[in-house]
Amino acid sequence: MELKGRVAVVTGGTRGVGAGVARSFAEAGAEVVICARRPPEVPLKGVEFMPLDVRDHDAVHAFFAALPRVDVLVNNAGGGPYRLLADADVARHARVIELNLLAPLAVSLAAYDHLKRARGSVVMVGSVSGSRPSPGSAAYGAAKAGLENLARSMAVEWAPDVRVNTLVVGMVRTELAHLHYGDAQAVDAVSRTVPLGRLAEPSDVGAAAVFLASDAAAYISGASLQVHGGGERPLFLDAATAHRET
């Protein structure tokens, strides 16, 4: 799964999942450009940073116009604060949808000519929130559901020149994990709900992204690859196990 000689752009690549993806691509031999509103606190080895707000369409077009080549685009930038639907107005929810759905669309369109010339690929970073109820992050979940569907349509429209796939990502241990899951004890408790017994590391997502971008996945397009450690351990399984032990 080598990417030597290829140029990969990773949006939101300065920390968390994005930084893990960028490191994995660099280790696979790619020339990596990461973009975000602010530079990484710790520079990533072999990775170039360029400032960009993916919600600024003019800036996005200028960004890709300045690049001589793009072989792989990873639409990773996204996120949203915990907020119950009735606790925010439509404008706030719209900003979450803009970042997680409309921005990846705009970035992909701006990169299209590069990707077509290179016969490259797009990797969308989706979420399990897009395929299940997401109380507290409903707008985010709706946007991620839309992103996965968008990727499938792009895969059909842009074939055979550009492959488009989605990583459906579960819970990930990042430097900001405590904001989502609580202290170390809470993180351990959450980890036990995952069948594989741990949260994903950013490098786990990075390895999956490298696979989808590589020649090993040359016949894979329009796919959704689940990177979630088996999902969530169903409560009835714990109940059944406890019953057998009594």
Side-chain angles (χ1 to χ4, degrees), residues 5-76:
R6 302 183 193 182
V7 177
V9 173
V10 182
T11 68
T14 58
R15 65 184 184 185
V17 169
V21 170
R23 291 189 190 96
S24 295
F25 272 77
E27 290 167 0
E31 297 179 33
V32 184
V33 179
I34 59 174
C35 56
R37 289 180 296 169
R38 291 178 292 274
E41 294 182 2
V42 179
L44 302 177
K45 183 179 179 181
V47 174
E48 179 183 0
F49 168 76
M50 295 177 66
L52 179 66
D53 184 342
V54 294
R55 297 167 298 184
D56 184 335
H57 296 180
D58 291 338
V60 166
H61 279 280
F63 175 89
F64 283 99
L67 295 177
R69 176 176 176 176
V70 178
D71 298 273
V72 182
L73 168 64
V74 181
N75 276 309
N76 166 77

Side-chain angles (χ1 to χ4, degrees), residues 11-234:
T11 68
T14 58
R15 65 184 184 185
V17 169
V21 170
R23 291 189 190 96
S24 295
F25 272 77
E27 290 167 0
E31 297 179 33
V32 184
V33 179
I34 59 174
C35 56
R37 289 180 296 169
R38 291 178 292 274
E41 294 182 2
V42 179
L44 302 177
K45 183 179 179 181
V47 174
E48 179 183 0
F49 168 76
M50 295 177 66
L52 179 66
D53 184 342
V54 294
R55 297 167 298 184
D56 184 335
H57 296 180
D58 291 338
V60 166
H61 279 280
F63 175 89
F64 283 99
L67 295 177
R69 176 176 176 176
V70 178
D71 298 273
V72 182
L73 168 64
V74 181
N75 276 309
N76 166 77
Y82 180 90
R83 182 171 287 116
L84 295 174
L85 280 170
D87 291 342
D89 59 20
V90 171
R92 286 183 179 272
H93 294 308
R95 286 196 288 273
V96 173
I97 294 171
E98 178 186 20
L99 175 61
N100 291 280
L101 178 56
L102 297 181
L105 171 58
V107 170
S108 299
L109 290 172
Y112 174 69
D113 287 343
H114 284 301
L115 294 167
K116 184 177 180 180
R117 283 194 297 271
R119 296 187 68 85
S121 71
V122 178
V123 179
M124 303 289 196
V125 178
S127 170
V128 294
S129 294
S131 56
R132 67 182 186 190
S134 300
S137 57
Y140 172 81
K144 290 299 187 180
L147 183 68
E148 194 171 347
N149 188 275
L150 173 66
R152 293 193 189 108
S153 296
M154 287 172 62
V156 174
E157 288 195 19
W158 292 5
D161 300 309
V162 182
R163 295 185 300 107
V164 185
N165 294 290
T166 303
L167 295 176
V168 181
V169 179
M171 296 178 287
V172 184
R173 187 189 297 271
T174 69
E175 59 268 41
L176 299 178
H178 63 284
L179 297 179
H180 298 281
Y181 313 123
D183 58 18
Q185 185 176 359
V187 170
D188 288 340
V190 171
S191 298
R192 289 193 293 272
T193 70
V194 180
L196 289 188
R198 65 177 178 87
L199 302 187
E201 299 293 336
S203 59
D204 292 317
V205 183
V210 167
F211 164 68
L212 288 179
S214 74
D215 290 342
Y219 199 65
I220 299 176
S221 192
S224 295
L225 177 60
Q226 294 179 327
V227 187
H228 59 13
E232 294 174 302
R233 186 178 175 88

